[in-house]
Amino acid sequence: MKMTLSIFIIVLLGILTGYFYLPDEFLQNMDILINVVLTVTIFFIGIGIGENNHIFKDLKKAGKNILILPIGTIIGSFLGGALAGLILHRSITLSLAIASGFGWYSISAGLLLPVAGVEASTVGFIANVIREMLAFLLIPIIAKKLSPYTAISIGGATTMDTTLPLVSKSSGEEYAVISFIHGGLISLLVPILVELFAGI
């Protein structure tokens, strides 16, 4: 809950700062700043994956769930995105681009901005923030009532970092490795899928 509250506060501060305090000259260069931050973020994600010396052993130990789980997460996210697009009478491809953020709100919003515009970027940011916040609320419940694998899938890309401790606590340490690899594989696909659907 502390993480959820922190996200709300940061977003609110960003909105207020952008609306009241930042000069137009700074906002015009926002694209450059976003690209720099995204590049650094992806770089450190790569370092995090590279530092895991046991990743190949973990892949073998987890077996077929390593591939089945991310595929299920992607299909479910696409179905939800397409349904939301139909209900809201929006472009299906743009809805799929937003859904392709898989909870990674910072990079998905940044990728959407230059291709799809400010409105799509804002919607993508909010949708993926909400997904992460819902993951914090639902993972403990879903892990106990349904399945640890379903709980991991809800977290999307976040299961390699922010929701990883929650998965481990709710499902057991044996699922932490699966959660990390699931989140890592999903995270690698986010930039590819967002740009693919946004560019159609």
Side-chain angles (χ1 to χ4, degrees):
M1 292 303 292
K2 288 183 178 179
M3 182 70 71
T4 302
L5 182 61
S6 297
I7 293 171
F8 269 125
I9 292 172
I10 291 169
V11 171
L12 181 60
L13 288 174
I15 292 171
L16 293 174
T17 302
Y19 189 80
F20 291 109
Y21 298 109
L22 291 182
D24 292 337
E25 295 78 17
F26 183 87
L27 294 174
Q28 288 172 359
N29 296 315
M30 191 67 72
D31 288 351
I32 298 172
L33 181 60
I34 288 172
N35 286 332
V36 170
V37 172
L38 288 177
T39 302
V40 172
T41 301
I42 293 172
F43 176 73
F44 281 108
I45 289 291
I47 289 176
I49 293 172
E51 282 183 335
N52 187 347
N53 297 324
H54 305 289
I55 191 165
F56 294 108
K57 292 181 181 178
D58 295 337
L59 280 168
K60 187 176 180 180
K61 189 187 297 183
K64 62 182 180 179
N65 291 323
I66 289 299
L67 292 179
I68 293 174
L69 191 58
I71 290 171
T73 299
I74 291 168
I75 292 172
S77 299
F78 283 170
L79 289 174
L83 181 61
L86 289 171
I87 293 172
L88 298 173
H89 305 289
R90 300 292 182 181
S91 165
I92 298 298
T93 54
L94 184 57
S95 299
L96 290 175
I98 292 170
S100 295
F102 303 116
W104 194 359
Y105 51 84
S106 56
I107 194 169
S108 59
L111 291 168
L112 285 166
L113 182 60
V115 181
V118 174
E119 182 180 351
S121 176
T122 303
V123 173
F125 177 81
I126 293 172
N128 284 288
V129 165
I130 290 173
R131 176 169 183 164
E132 184 177 58
M133 290 188 293
L134 286 174
F136 276 105
L137 295 173
L138 295 176
I139 283 174
I141 299 170
I142 298 298
K144 291 179 181 179
K145 300 291 185 181
L146 292 177
S147 160
Y149 294 111
T150 306
I152 292 170
S153 185
I154 290 172
T158 71
T159 58
M160 72 172 290
D161 44 53
T162 56
T163 59
L164 179 59
L166 188 58
V167 170
S168 180
K169 184 178 180 181
S170 304
S171 305
E173 291 182 359
E174 64 270 24
Y175 290 97
V177 173
I178 296 174
S179 176
F180 178 83
I181 297 172
H182 167 268
L185 292 173
I186 293 289
S187 296
L188 289 173
L189 291 173
V190 169
I192 299 170
L193 294 174
V194 170
E195 291 199 341
L196 173 66
F197 287 115
I200 296 176

